Amino acid sequence: MTATERAVPTVAVADLPALRRRTSGVLIVSQILGGLGVPIGIALAPVLATEVSGTEALSGLAPTASVAGTALLSMPLAALMTSRGRRPGLVLAYLVGALGAGLVVLAAVIDNFPLLLLGMAGFGAGSSANLQARFAAADLAEPDRRGRAISTVVWATTVGAVLGPNIAAPASRGFADTAIPETAGPFLWAAGIFLLAGVVVAILLRPDPLLTARVLAPQEQQSAEGRSLRAGLAAVAASPRARLALVTVAVSHTAMVSIMVMTPVDLGHHGADLELIGLVISGHIAGMYAFSPVMGWLSDRVGRLAVIGLAVGLLSCAALLAGTAGPSHAQTAAGLFVLGLGWSAGLVSGSALLTDSVPQPARAAVQGLSDLTMNTAAGIGGVAAGVVVSQASYGWLNVLGAALLLPMAALALLTARRRPAVEAGAVRD
């Protein structure tokens, strides 16, 4: 046991339910705050990049830099959490996100495009914090309630995701008579929101859920050697279910991002105005987050593999609806909503299965690897999506998005057919 773990107060088994509720409450508040900040970057980054660079051709680099930053920060944050706990890692992520937002504002003021990209990469740390929070919710959860614990924190993002884009316009107007461009002003609000989220976590996320879970773990699982990144990779390699979980999260996220980022372009080609596009994306976000508790409940009750199969079905259906919609805006909206549902099913079930399938000491490292994989894959998918649409069509993009699901479905079937192995933390298929 490390000195950091020895400093964790002893928690009686009878006190665990109250500690779980407290931890979940703090994470929900931080998710709401983070959810307010992150959508500002999603909504305004391409516009700001166009203004600073002077060309629309470079507008896509700003959100891509944010996704890249999220991916690059995943493993350093996982290493920090592995050694020091969830709280320092989440606080650092929010601080880096706030610093990145500040650099974006500075870049807009001095018209420096490389600095803007650097700032957006740092801004992506806010997304890293939101992603890692779902695993913090699972640290102390009972094995048969991990899906619901993860999904509750994911659901909390709904509040911020819905309100975030709506505060961008008022925040912009607040800087109308200043040296700060109106499109950059909301990033100052985002910086303040990230700082507030970091303060909430720093003060209230005590005792640290990951360190507490380690102290409560059996003595044989408290070896520091088992917590290294190398041990995390070994844990994934040794567990078929962990590999399936990693593939599920990465493929679900990549298919969703690839289709979602090009849907506004396709809607515009079929005469949709900005208001309609906004409504379609809002419906998509509702599908992503609002129904995550349902996915968590299903994951715990009927099993992780069953919900992974549901994710494959929903994502395939979404690709069919969106890819054949053509000028039917209602069908495109339905497709995007179902796309969000499929993403939610894949993220929640995959995250729960990943936590189930590896030893407790290696979980933080494996979870960081999961976020690195999903964000790297999604970043590549987002770039490739633009190429596919420009060279072929939006319909073909959806065909390729559905094709990504084939190896995920095959691996799920293969895993289900194997005789269930006894794996650390496994609760049910």
Side-chain angles (χ1 to χ4, degrees), residues 134 243-258 315 343 346-347 350-351 369-379 404-405 408:
R134 77 189 192 277
R243 295 196 295 272
L244 170 61
L246 207 64
V247 169
T248 296
V249 172
V251 170
S252 298
H253 194 55
T254 302
M256 183 277 291
V257 169
S258 300
L315 291 169
W343 175 87
L347 183 78
S351 299
L369 176 64
S370 170
D371 285 352
L372 170 65
T373 303
M374 69 182 279
N375 285 292
T376 301
L404 286 176
L405 302 170
M408 171 178 157

Side-chain angles (χ1 to χ4, degrees), residues 311-338:
V312 172
L314 288 171
L315 291 169
S316 300
C317 181
L320 176 63
L321 285 170
T324 60
S328 174
H329 298 153
Q331 184 174 329
T332 300
L336 265 287
F337 175 75
V338 176

Side-chain angles (χ1 to χ4, degrees), residues 198-239:
V199 169
V200 167
V201 170
I203 294 175
L204 299 179
L205 195 63
R206 298 171 184 268
D208 189 284
L210 178 59
L211 299 183
T212 303
R214 286 178 179 168
V215 171
L216 295 173
Q219 191 65 36
E220 63 269 16
Q221 291 192 8
Q222 296 189 22
S223 166
E225 290 78 10
R227 300 170 191 164
S228 66
L229 297 180
R230 179 178 296 177
L233 289 170
V236 172
S239 170

